[in-house]
Amino acid sequence: MSNLHVFDHPLIQHKLSILRDKDTSSKVFRELVGEIAMLMCYEATRDLPLEEVEVETPVAVAHCRRIAGKKLAVVPILRAGLGMVEGMVAMMPGVKVGHVGLYRDPETLEPVKYYFKMPPDIAERDAIIVDPMLATGGSAAAAAQFLKEAGVKHIKLMSIIGAPEGVERMHAEHPDVDIYLAALDDHLNEHGYIVPGLGDAGDRIFGTK
Ligand code: PRP
Ligand code: URA
């Protein structure tokens, strides 16, 4: 699929192998989610437009390039997306952060919205939605829909692990949204968990199970 990018960088793949391990502690899990987000951010922002600028060094004028174009917002889907924010902000210190609160109904697996708070100028920004898991795609599709309703024109989705079902749903509902993953896994199980996946990302980040 043209709008799906799966990063095979060795550093990302190495960290992902530790993240998946059921014996990895919450502390290390949290750190790895942040580090992987930082590395993925570096790759997912490759297409940001640049403009020529002249900078006076102590020696002479240097012809340099700086990021131009629309400002960005990082939009974590609560809770687990919070784990990716620090890594993104480390790469892009000026970025604004908007929050979407969603949980999956355990019976229907459909997302339930409980929070939505964006920077006031969100309609003038491009958005990168972050959530470690893209399973059925219900949460990411809903987040993208809320952002479009708020006026955002250009949206990217960054997840650490995706399932084919989630990618297909995003492709069907939001074909304009580029998807960035560290891994595309095999399938969803009967509880909507990604197989092999890494379990419940929120619980592992926050130690709630
Ligand atoms: C998890 C995960 C995603 C969602 C993915 O959140 O962080 O947001 O499931 O599943 P989907 O693609 O089928 O929608 P969860 O609902 O467990 O909430 P939490 O982050 O608060 O634990
Ligand atoms: N949410 C998770 O945290 N893990 C999964 O495998 C699926 C949804």
Side-chain angles (χ1 to χ4, degrees), residues 77-81 102-105 109-111 114 130-141 166 169 188 192-194 200-203 206 208:
I77 301 179
L78 308 181
R79 292 175 300 169
L102 294 171
Y103 69 87
R104 286 202 312 180
D105 181 295
L109 299 182
E110 281 303 308
Y114 60 89
V130 293
D131 188 329
M133 310 304 278
L134 175 66
T136 66
S139 304
R169 180 160 178 177
L188 296 178
Y193 277 87
I194 299 175
D200 189 304
D203 282 342
F206 296 108
T208 41

Side-chain angles (χ1 to χ4, degrees), residues 1 12-14 30 45 54-55 61 67 70-72 78 84 90 113 143 161 174 188 195 199 206:
M1 266 173 233
I12 295 176
Q13 293 306 315
H14 178 83
R30 242 189 330 264
T45 50
E54 289 188 350
V55 174
V61 171
I67 292 170
K70 274 194 173 176
K71 290 185 178 157
L72 282 176
L78 308 181
M84 297 174 75
K113 180 181 176 189
I161 301 180
H174 300 287
L188 296 178
V195 182
F206 296 108

